[in-house]
Amino acid sequence: MLAVSTLMRLYLSHRQVSYVSSHRAKVPESFADKISLEDHQKAADYTTAKVRFGRLPLFYEVILLLIWTLGGGLEWLNQFVLSYEIDPIFTGIAVILSFTFISAMLDLPFSIYSTFVLEEKFGFNRTTIKTFIADIFKGSLLGLVLSVPLLYVVLWLMQQTGEQWWIYTWLVISGFSLFMMWVYPTWIAPIFNKFEPLEEGETLNRITSLLERCGFSSNGIFVIDGSKRSSHGNAYFSGFGRNKRIVFFDTLLKMLNDDELEAVLAHELGHFKKKHIIKGMVISFTTTLVGLAILAWLMKVEWFYTSLGISQPSTYMALLLFTLILPVFTFAFQPLLSIFSRKNEFEADAFAAQQTDAKYLVQALVGLYRENASTLTPDPLYSAFYDSHPPAPVRIAHLNAQA
Ligand SMILES: [Zn+2]
């Protein structure tokens, strides 16, 4: 499976690079009056540079996975922690956290390269070394504070609640994700970005009237300093219930005029109105339950450990091995998730076309494609496999039909 998924990834990345490169010379007909050749070529170069760079961590991940399992890396780490003879649950936490820390350190060169070389080269990087380091510290600290109690509860349930542990664990994990979604907008996101209420004025009036028209209540419309890290623009909703926030990146406000901004917001509201958030949660909770059921079965069979290079079965090792090898098997489901996501994007676009005018969303999207150097000519197979959003020409054509 590792060989199959790796070859598939390489094949897709090869297709994307050659397709984008072969369409580099000319702006697609439907964009010819809106996007200059220079911008089109920048997008092509940016896209291929990112895909080409992605191959290196791909090989690196495969090698690391083999070293951790068959190469005896995890076995060594486990024996090392076991030699301290601490409480079994804390042994589990120590092994999992050490593994996470070492993996994060090993990944660091790639995120440094991506931020300070690749993004920099195309003029998108705004992250300073200071912000980069501060992010790592804040992220690690937050990760520790949140993961230690959760791991403790999960490992305790795995050991103490018998055959049904996976059902209790599922309830705890689901409750924890809901809690995180609830606290994220007000408590977590502000650790990394500065939030300021959108200033009074024409933009705010337009947005407020759109929200009223759609019967949507939130606890605030905010602007964050996205420009602190990157010049890419974005907007999002977060939280649920009454704790919902609408968040615009300052970079997006610079890119779009009020009509376009209203259209983008209407699209985001469409995701709420069409219940995409809830559907996504149902899918995620269901797959977690299935995953835990499979883990409950694997945990009891010896070959699961021995075939992955572990001599001493334990609950925490089962959990760690499972999460480590899972992506190799779930890769095959990626296209299904992409189909679901693209279907939602079309629905949200249709909602925006009803609430505002499709032509403003088209303008906004074209502006965003240009400013973010997104390719207008992705390889169809690559796009079908990975893309959460419809390819630019398809999406624009759909919207134009509704204008
Ligand atoms: Zn969307």
Side-chain angles (χ1 to χ4, degrees):
M1 282 303 286
L2 184 62
V4 169
S5 67
T6 308
L7 285 174
M8 187 68 194
R9 278 177 216 254
L10 283 173
Y11 171 65
L12 288 170
S13 109
H14 164 76
R15 281 188 61 121
Q16 174 78 336
V17 168
S18 57
Y19 196 92
V20 172
S21 308
S22 69
H23 290 78
R24 188 181 181 277
K26 193 169 162 272
V27 182
E29 203 99 337
S30 52
F31 292 95
D33 54 337
K34 302 176 195 106
I35 301 233
S36 70
L37 183 63
E38 194 193 345
D39 285 331
H40 174 66
Q41 298 193 328
K42 180 187 173 186
D45 296 341
Y46 181 52
T47 306
T48 51
K50 273 196 299 184
V51 175
R52 282 209 177 100
F53 166 66
R55 289 175 193 161
L56 197 61
L58 176 62
F59 282 113
Y60 186 67
E61 269 169 38
V62 170
I63 292 165
L64 281 183
L65 182 62
L66 292 173
I67 293 177
W68 279 119
T69 54
L70 305 183
L74 277 178
E75 171 72 7
W76 175 84
L77 181 65
N78 192 27
Q79 294 303 334
F80 177 75
V81 177
L82 279 172
S83 70
Y84 284 91
E85 298 184 348
I86 47 174
D87 165 87
I89 291 187
F90 281 108
T91 303
I93 295 178
V95 169
I96 292 172
L97 289 186
S98 322
F99 166 81
T100 313
F101 176 75
I102 297 168
S103 303
M105 286 297 120
L106 292 171
D107 280 341
L108 204 53
F110 293 107
S111 74
I112 293 175
Y113 183 88
S114 162
T115 308
F116 295 106
V117 181
L118 203 109
E119 293 291 305
E120 185 75 40
K121 188 179 158 198
F122 289 91
F124 292 124
N125 180 44
R126 296 279 181 278
T127 312
T128 58
I129 308 248
K130 203 177 133 206
T131 307
F132 190 81
I133 294 173
D135 281 351
I136 292 177
F137 273 103
K138 287 184 206 165
S140 315
L141 209 64
L142 186 68
L144 268 180
V145 170
L146 294 171
S147 67
V148 171
L150 181 67
L151 271 175
Y152 189 92
V153 174
V154 168
L155 292 174
W156 184 86
L157 287 172
M158 288 176 86
Q159 283 169 19
Q160 304 292 329
T161 53
E163 288 283 301
Q164 266 80 50
W165 70 265
W166 55 283
I167 297 180
Y168 298 117
T169 302
W170 178 69
L171 289 173
V172 167
I173 292 179
S174 305
F176 182 78
S177 335
L178 287 175
F179 171 73
M180 285 304 294
M181 285 173 77
W182 176 257
V183 296
Y184 181 82
T186 12
W187 299 102
I188 310 234
I191 299 175
F192 297 92
N193 280 97
K194 215 184 287 153
F195 282 70
E196 268 165 25
L198 182 62
E199 278 171 37
E200 303 246 337
E202 179 56 18
T203 311
L204 184 64
N205 295 343
R206 292 281 295 271
I207 290 174
T208 317
S209 91
L210 173 71
L211 293 177
E212 272 167 19
R213 224 156 61 223
C214 301
F216 184 90
S217 66
S218 80
N219 81 348
I221 301 156
F222 293 85
V223 181
I224 64 166
D225 53 349
S227 55
K228 181 167 129 182
R229 295 192 181 82
S230 155
S231 58
H232 288 300
N234 207 348
Y236 69 87
F237 277 95
S238 64
F240 61 97
R242 268 176 298 127
N243 214 17
K244 287 193 293 282
R245 270 187 178 188
I246 296 167
V247 180
F248 292 112
F249 280 43
D250 52 357
T251 39
L252 187 80
L253 294 182
K254 282 205 196 87
M255 285 176 200
L256 306 179
N257 66 31
D258 286 347
D259 289 326
E260 295 163 354
L261 209 58
E262 192 182 352
V264 167
L265 184 61
H267 168 95
E268 297 297 333
L269 285 173
H271 283 308
F272 255 94
K273 288 282 164 188
K274 302 282 170 188
K275 305 213 175 347
H276 298 155
I277 319 287
I278 296 185
K279 285 182 196 161
M281 273 160 62
V282 170
I283 291 179
S284 137
F285 288 167
T286 314
T287 47
T288 306
L289 185 65
V290 174
L292 285 168
I294 297 172
L295 173 59
W297 165 65
L298 285 173
M299 209 169 90
K300 290 186 288 193
V301 292
E302 204 173 315
W303 57 257
F304 177 57
Y305 303 91
T306 52
S307 61
L308 291 167
I310 299 297
S311 65
Q312 240 169 305
S314 62
T315 46
Y316 62 84
M317 204 39 98
L319 184 64
L320 185 51
L321 286 175
F322 188 67
T323 46
L324 189 59
I325 62 162
L326 196 61
V328 176
F329 296 88
T330 52
F331 176 70
F333 296 102
Q334 177 64 45
L336 292 181
L337 218 60
S338 303
I339 289 173
F340 170 72
S341 173
R342 288 193 300 264
K343 180 179 158 284
N344 290 348
E345 293 307 326
F346 281 128
E347 285 180 11
D349 279 353
F351 182 84
Q354 277 166 17
Q355 296 298 328
T356 60
D357 190 329
K359 84 170 185 232
Y360 294 128
L361 188 56
V362 169
Q363 269 179 33
L365 285 170
V366 172
L368 290 173
Y369 292 144
R370 183 175 49 233
E371 296 300 318
N372 290 325
S374 312
T375 180
L376 302 174
T377 57
D379 172 59
L381 188 66
Y382 180 94
S383 179
F385 211 92
Y386 289 118
D387 285 352
S388 59
H389 290 64
V394 180
R395 194 171 177 190
I396 299 295
H398 255 253
L399 277 167
N400 281 334
Q402 295 169 60

PDB file of all heavy atoms in Angstrom, residues 267-268 271 345 348 389 395, ligand 1:
ATOM      1  N   HIS A 267     -21.150  33.601  -0.281  1.00  0.00           N
ATOM      2  CA  HIS A 267     -20.706  32.221  -0.549  1.00  0.00           C
ATOM      3  C   HIS A 267     -20.458  31.481   0.768  1.00  0.00           C
ATOM      4  O   HIS A 267     -20.918  30.359   0.960  1.00  0.00           O
ATOM      5  CB  HIS A 267     -19.441  32.255  -1.417  1.00  0.00           C
ATOM      6  CG  HIS A 267     -18.752  30.931  -1.509  1.00  0.00           C
ATOM      7  ND1 HIS A 267     -18.964  30.040  -2.528  1.00  0.00           N
ATOM      8  CD2 HIS A 267     -17.873  30.327  -0.673  1.00  0.00           C
ATOM      9  CE1 HIS A 267     -18.241  28.946  -2.322  1.00  0.00           C
ATOM     10  NE2 HIS A 267     -17.564  29.103  -1.207  1.00  0.00           N
ATOM     11  N   GLU A 268     -19.762  32.142   1.678  1.00  0.00           N
ATOM     12  CA  GLU A 268     -19.476  31.517   2.977  1.00  0.00           C
ATOM     13  C   GLU A 268     -20.768  31.232   3.753  1.00  0.00           C
ATOM     14  O   GLU A 268     -20.898  30.194   4.390  1.00  0.00           O
ATOM     15  CB  GLU A 268     -18.551  32.392   3.824  1.00  0.00           C
ATOM     16  CG  GLU A 268     -17.164  32.603   3.221  1.00  0.00           C
ATOM     17  CD  GLU A 268     -16.372  31.309   3.078  1.00  0.00           C
ATOM     18  OE1 GLU A 268     -16.619  30.369   3.853  1.00  0.00           O
ATOM     19  OE2 GLU A 268     -15.544  31.229   2.167  1.00  0.00           O
ATOM     20  N   HIS A 271     -22.389  28.058   2.768  1.00  0.00           N
ATOM     21  CA  HIS A 271     -21.905  26.836   3.438  1.00  0.00           C
ATOM     22  C   HIS A 271     -22.681  26.577   4.723  1.00  0.00           C
ATOM     23  O   HIS A 271     -22.964  25.441   5.066  1.00  0.00           O
ATOM     24  CB  HIS A 271     -20.417  26.955   3.761  1.00  0.00           C
ATOM     25  CG  HIS A 271     -19.529  26.753   2.577  1.00  0.00           C
ATOM     26  ND1 HIS A 271     -19.627  25.660   1.753  1.00  0.00           N
ATOM     27  CD2 HIS A 271     -18.526  27.514   2.067  1.00  0.00           C
ATOM     28  CE1 HIS A 271     -18.722  25.751   0.796  1.00  0.00           C
ATOM     29  NE2 HIS A 271     -18.047  26.871   0.959  1.00  0.00           N
ATOM     30  N   GLU A 345     -19.023  23.404  -2.701  1.00  0.00           N
ATOM     31  CA  GLU A 345     -18.614  24.693  -3.267  1.00  0.00           C
ATOM     32  C   GLU A 345     -19.617  25.179  -4.315  1.00  0.00           C
ATOM     33  O   GLU A 345     -19.982  26.353  -4.336  1.00  0.00           O
ATOM     34  CB  GLU A 345     -17.212  24.611  -3.879  1.00  0.00           C
ATOM     35  CG  GLU A 345     -16.092  24.388  -2.866  1.00  0.00           C
ATOM     36  CD  GLU A 345     -16.106  25.395  -1.727  1.00  0.00           C
ATOM     37  OE1 GLU A 345     -16.470  26.565  -1.951  1.00  0.00           O
ATOM     38  OE2 GLU A 345     -15.772  24.998  -0.596  1.00  0.00           O
ATOM     39  N   ALA A 348     -22.681  26.431  -2.476  1.00  0.00           N
ATOM     40  CA  ALA A 348     -22.441  27.729  -1.839  1.00  0.00           C
ATOM     41  C   ALA A 348     -22.398  28.839  -2.899  1.00  0.00           C
ATOM     42  O   ALA A 348     -22.891  29.945  -2.674  1.00  0.00           O
ATOM     43  CB  ALA A 348     -21.155  27.699  -1.034  1.00  0.00           C
ATOM     44  N   HIS A 389     -11.811  22.651  -4.189  1.00  0.00           N
ATOM     45  CA  HIS A 389     -12.626  23.600  -4.946  1.00  0.00           C
ATOM     46  C   HIS A 389     -12.619  23.213  -6.425  1.00  0.00           C
ATOM     47  O   HIS A 389     -11.619  22.684  -6.904  1.00  0.00           O
ATOM     48  CB  HIS A 389     -12.097  25.027  -4.769  1.00  0.00           C
ATOM     49  CG  HIS A 389     -12.341  25.562  -3.390  1.00  0.00           C
ATOM     50  ND1 HIS A 389     -11.765  25.002  -2.271  1.00  0.00           N
ATOM     51  CD2 HIS A 389     -13.111  26.574  -2.938  1.00  0.00           C
ATOM     52  CE1 HIS A 389     -12.181  25.655  -1.200  1.00  0.00           C
ATOM     53  NE2 HIS A 389     -13.001  26.624  -1.571  1.00  0.00           N
ATOM     54  N   ARG A 395     -15.661  26.431 -12.463  1.00  0.00           N
ATOM     55  CA  ARG A 395     -16.385  27.199 -11.462  1.00  0.00           C
ATOM     56  C   ARG A 395     -16.932  28.495 -12.061  1.00  0.00           C
ATOM     57  O   ARG A 395     -18.083  28.867 -11.839  1.00  0.00           O
ATOM     58  CB  ARG A 395     -15.436  27.490 -10.297  1.00  0.00           C
ATOM     59  CG  ARG A 395     -16.170  27.988  -9.084  1.00  0.00           C
ATOM     60  CD  ARG A 395     -15.270  28.061  -7.886  1.00  0.00           C
ATOM     61  NE  ARG A 395     -16.014  28.609  -6.761  1.00  0.00           N
ATOM     62  CZ  ARG A 395     -15.457  28.976  -5.624  1.00  0.00           C
ATOM     63  NH1 ARG A 395     -14.152  28.847  -5.455  1.00  0.00           N
ATOM     64  NH2 ARG A 395     -16.192  29.470  -4.660  1.00  0.00           N
TER      65      ARG A 395
HETATM   66 ZN    ZN B   1     -16.487  27.636  -0.209  1.00  0.00          ZN
END
